[in-house]
């Protein structure tokens, strides 16, 4: 009779489901083996992101505090969201006698960035690159606006340390 | 007696605003329900709570810049959306991409499809009331996300496709991770069935609920797994094979029943098919370049262009009208979710609130995809 | 056997005041003690539920505040106490405010009958089981009133669902209990437990007792509004159901009462089927207060089954809920009572 077979099959299907959850419960209760969550703020030190992880745009500086950006503004133009602002100035180069553009501030608005990577592709000097930092929480929105070139940094002489 | 009841006991229809903040509407969708007790008389959709005018934004962006905006449509199939734009531009400019790129794109699409379906499965269980499925779904999704993160650099909005290829070459761990995932998932998928699909309560909740016939499905323009649950053959991967779909064997899953349970089973079976596609490709990724050099400024020739791909939710289309500039003159996204959602009233009328939630789940909507 | 501490306290108080005053003082003391038990029990069960849920869901659950997160719920309670009590403008204020107390009062009343051990039972009347069931059904009024008075359609739907659900499942709980009463031949809780000294009812009553236990578990889940019968709250459909508009402590009352109700249902199950505070085979009968240990262990085991249900099953729809009750549970229950009566009559019980 379908009435009774319904009851039996139904109960069986429920028990099969309970066996699966029950299995996970006891494994986790006894060994914590199947636990898949990260203990987030605790494992901040040990948490390593993949190399390609796009956390934020950073500017490469070598040990002499030199970067490669020559203020060409290509990244600014490539950005679809206007997250990059370049403030540059000109200065006379005593060796060649020409006016050379140099960067004053490479302003990066992290809060507007969509991590699309177009700026980094556009940069002819490979001056900017991805940083793996994901811990961006701030109490103040203003703190998300960053100046990428470090204070006192200079442009490095070309041909040296080309990627 | 009837007369007595209608005379003495006045019943009244009432309206219930379901959403925009409601756990079952998957985001900021608003449903205006006309109810008689718990029985739904009418469902009215109120969209626009997350409208970001992405189509308009695309008109001011170059073709390269458009790609990252498509991540933000249906974020669960961002890879397929990217691919659609890239394929469109490549087609228009006659850029021939290498086999390697095609295979990579196909594999990424299938991984996206699985990850989207897995998430859907978890949320589906949650909407029906089985809260545990959510975490089980996330276990598998996490593995796929790791694959994405290692190769593409992000977990959700991958933005991996570029015009003429993909942004980075495959990571050296890619094949191993995919194989690991396949073996893992082959073990776990039957568990999904045991836990939810075969559960008597779950079956009773879905069977015969939200019926839509084949004719109606076509008339409403349903697509993707939702339409295939009504037996409408509409898989873009079969009709207009793109990337490497012409060289893999897979089945288009069709269930003729047209109810929620059929739609549910379509998605479960599709995960199996995606797994088999991955299996066919993972050992045969051709060598070669991952990216074809393109011009710095990309201008489409004058004319109309259309590209369809099968995203996790169905037939995603990009239509571009170009006037020869570097920006599109007009761009339109055909989002699968929008068409599917229009049939909600038809499906849910006369059923109960609980059924509405179940139907909404089996349609598998992503609200930013509907409200662009 | 009344233990020495209780008699000591009694004598101490007698030395201080008249017999009548002592009586009243003792009542107050017991009341306060039970309030304490209520709060601690509720908080503990909430913690247990979250921890167990964590393990079911491949998570750890609360693990920050205190050892194994044991104080997490206390921290939550503090948070809830400090929260503003909000309400809707057009709510039926009186009912809205009074509703949570219905739920906790009845839960407390029911708790008075629960035999934590041989010694600890506040109120042992000869219609114990009957009283328990009737009191626990009054609690529904609180939920119903909350749904009605909140002036929120989600709450209202939740409240209406409660009414439907409770009327139906009260029946099954009652009849499952009656089945066991047929076997026991008494309604007094202490006697029911005493009778099981020769063997727990689930063994002595064998087939009908097992059927009754299964029905009791299903109906009990429905009584305590838990998955798969949590239609009253149904967060994916109704937001939070009847307590959508409650905040702060008023919400906490509902929350605690829900868990205490689960405890009560589990206790009834333990008393009726698993010998209450009796130890298995009488191994620790000699040790005082060992009953408390056994009772707790058994109740937690039953509660664990409830939790297991909750973290495995999807939710019913309202009409399926009724189908289950009226088409399946009730007929089976009726047959089962007759079966049990026959068994007892023919002496087929052990
Ligand atoms: S990653 Fe994209 S959005 Fe961010 S700064 Fe670069 S170009 Fe702009
Ligand atoms: S970062 Fe690169 S693209 Fe941007 S201004 Fe500097 S050199 Fe030019």
């Amino acid at each position: 009779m379908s009435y009774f077979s319904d009851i039996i099959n139904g109960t069986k299907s429920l028990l099969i489901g309970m066996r699966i959850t029950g299995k996970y419960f006891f494994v986790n209760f006894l060994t914590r083996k199947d636990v898949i969550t990260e203990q987030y703020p605790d494992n901040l030190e040990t948490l390593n992101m993949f190399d390609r992880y796009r956390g934020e745009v950073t500017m490469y500086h070598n040990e002499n505090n030199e970067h490669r950006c020559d203020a060409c503004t290509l990244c600014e133009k490539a950005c679809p969201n206007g997250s990059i602002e370049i403030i540059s100035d000109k200065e006379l180069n005593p060796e060649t006698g020409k006016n050379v553009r140099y960067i004053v501030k490479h302003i990066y608005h992290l809060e507007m960035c969509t991590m699309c990577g177009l700026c980094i592709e556009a940069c002819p000097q490979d001056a900017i690159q991805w940083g793996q930092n994901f811990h961006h929480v701030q109490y103040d929105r203003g703190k998300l606006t960053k100046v990428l070139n470090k204070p006192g940094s200079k442009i490095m002489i070309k041909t040296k340390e080309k990627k | 007696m009837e007369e007595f009841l209608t005379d003495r006991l006045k019943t009244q229809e009432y309206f219930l605003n379901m959403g925009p903040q409601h756990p079952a509407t998957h985001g900021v969708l608003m449903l205006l329900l006309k109810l008689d007790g718990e029985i739904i008389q009418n469902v009215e959709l109120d969209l626009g709570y997350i409208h970001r005018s992405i189509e308009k934004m695309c008109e001011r962006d170059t073709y390269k810049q458009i790609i990252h905006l498509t991540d933000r449509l249906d974020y669960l199939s961002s890879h397929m959306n990217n691919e659609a734009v890239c394929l469109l531009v490549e087609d228009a400019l006659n850029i021939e991409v290498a086999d390697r790129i095609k295979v990579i794109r196909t594999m990424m699409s299938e991984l996206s499809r699985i990850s989207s379906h897995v998430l859907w499965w978890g949320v589906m269980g949650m909407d029906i009331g089985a809260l545990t499925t959510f975490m089980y779904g996330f276990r598998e999704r996490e593995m796929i996300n790791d694959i994405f993160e290692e190769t593409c650099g992000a977990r959700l909005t991958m933005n991996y496709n570029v015009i003429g290829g993909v942004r980075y070459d495959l990571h050296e761990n890619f094949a191993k991770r995919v194989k690991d995932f396949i073996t893992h998932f082959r073990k776990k998928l039957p568990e999904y069935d045991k836990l939810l699909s075969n559960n008597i309560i779950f079956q009773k909740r879905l069977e015969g609920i939200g019926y839509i016939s084949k004719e109606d499905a076509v008339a409403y323009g349903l697509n993707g797994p939702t339409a295939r649950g009504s037996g409408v053959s509409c898989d873009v991967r079969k009709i207009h094979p793109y990337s490497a779909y012409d060289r893999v064997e897979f089945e288009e899953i069709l269930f003729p029943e047209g109810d929620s349970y059929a739609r549910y089973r379509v998605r479960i079976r599709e995960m199996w098919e995606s797994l088999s596609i991955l299996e066919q490709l993972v050992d045969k990724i051709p060598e070669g370049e991952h990216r074809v050099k393109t011009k710095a400024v990309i201008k489409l020739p004058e004319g109309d262009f259309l590209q369809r791909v099968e995203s996790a939710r169905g037939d995603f289309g990009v239509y571009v009208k170009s006037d020869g500039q570097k920006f599109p003159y007009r761009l339109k996204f055909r989002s699968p979710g929008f068409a599917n959602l229009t049939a909600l009233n038809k499906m849910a009328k006369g059923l109960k609130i609980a059924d509405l939630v179940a139907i909404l789940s089996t349609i598998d909507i992503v609200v930013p995809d509907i409200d662009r | 056997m009344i233990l020495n501490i209780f008699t000591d306290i009694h004598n101490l108080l007698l030395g201080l005041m008249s017999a009548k005053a002592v009586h009243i003082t003792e009542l107050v003391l017991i009341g306060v003690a039970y309030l304490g038990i209520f709060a601690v029990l509720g908080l503990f069960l909430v913690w247990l539920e979250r921890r167990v849920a964590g393990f079911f869901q491949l998570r750890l659950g609360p693990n920050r505040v205190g050892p194994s997160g044991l104080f997490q719920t206390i921290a939550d309670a503090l948070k809830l106490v400090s929260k503003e009590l909000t309400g809707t403008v057009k709510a039926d204020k009186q009912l809205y405010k009074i509703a949570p107390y219905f739920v906790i009062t009845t839960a407390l009343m029911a708790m008075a009958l629960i035999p934590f051990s041989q010694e600890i039972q506040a109120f042992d009347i000869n219609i114990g089981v009957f009283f328990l069931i009737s009191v626990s059904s009054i609690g529904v009024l609180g939920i119903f009133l909350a749904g009605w008075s909140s002036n929120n359609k989600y709450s209202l739907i939740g409240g209406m669902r409660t009414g439907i659900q409770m009327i139906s499942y009260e029946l099954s709980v009652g009849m499952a209990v009656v089945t066991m009463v047929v076997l026991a031949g008494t309604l007094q809780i202490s006697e029911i437990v005493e009778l099981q000294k020769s063997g727990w009812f689930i063994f002595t009553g064998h087939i009908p007792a097992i059927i009754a236990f299964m029905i009791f578990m299903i109906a009990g889940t429905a009584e305590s509004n838990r998955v798969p019968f949590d239609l009253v709250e149904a967060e994916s459909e109704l937001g939070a159901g009847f307590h959508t508009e409650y905040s702060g402590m008023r919400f906490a009352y509902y929350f605690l009462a829900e868990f205490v109700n689960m405890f009560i249902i589990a206790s009834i199950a333990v008393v009726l089927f698993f010998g209450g505070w009796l130890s298995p085979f009488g191994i620790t009968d000699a040790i005082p207060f060992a009953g408390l240990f056994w009772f707790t262990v058994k109740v937690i085991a039953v509660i664990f089954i409830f939790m297991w249900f909750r973290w495995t099953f999807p939710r019913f729809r309202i009409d399926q809920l009724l189908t289950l009750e009226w088409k399946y549970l009730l007929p089976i229950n009726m047959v089962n009572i007759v079966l049990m009566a026959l068994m007892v009559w023919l002496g087929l019980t052990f």
Side-chain angles (χ1 to χ4, degrees), chain C residues 114-156:
Chain C
I114 291 181
F116 290 98
S117 81
Q118 193 171 9
E119 301 86 14
I120 310 171
Q121 186 183 5
F123 190 42
D124 189 19
I125 41 169
N126 53 1
I127 51 160
V129 179
F130 181 65
F131 182 81
L132 255 181
I133 292 174
S134 35
V135 156
S136 67
S137 48
I138 298 175
V140 183
L141 265 182
I143 296 178
F144 198 68
L145 284 181
W148 175 256
S149 64
S150 290
N151 191 31
N152 177 320
K153 285 166 190 165
Y154 287 115
S155 302
L156 184 63

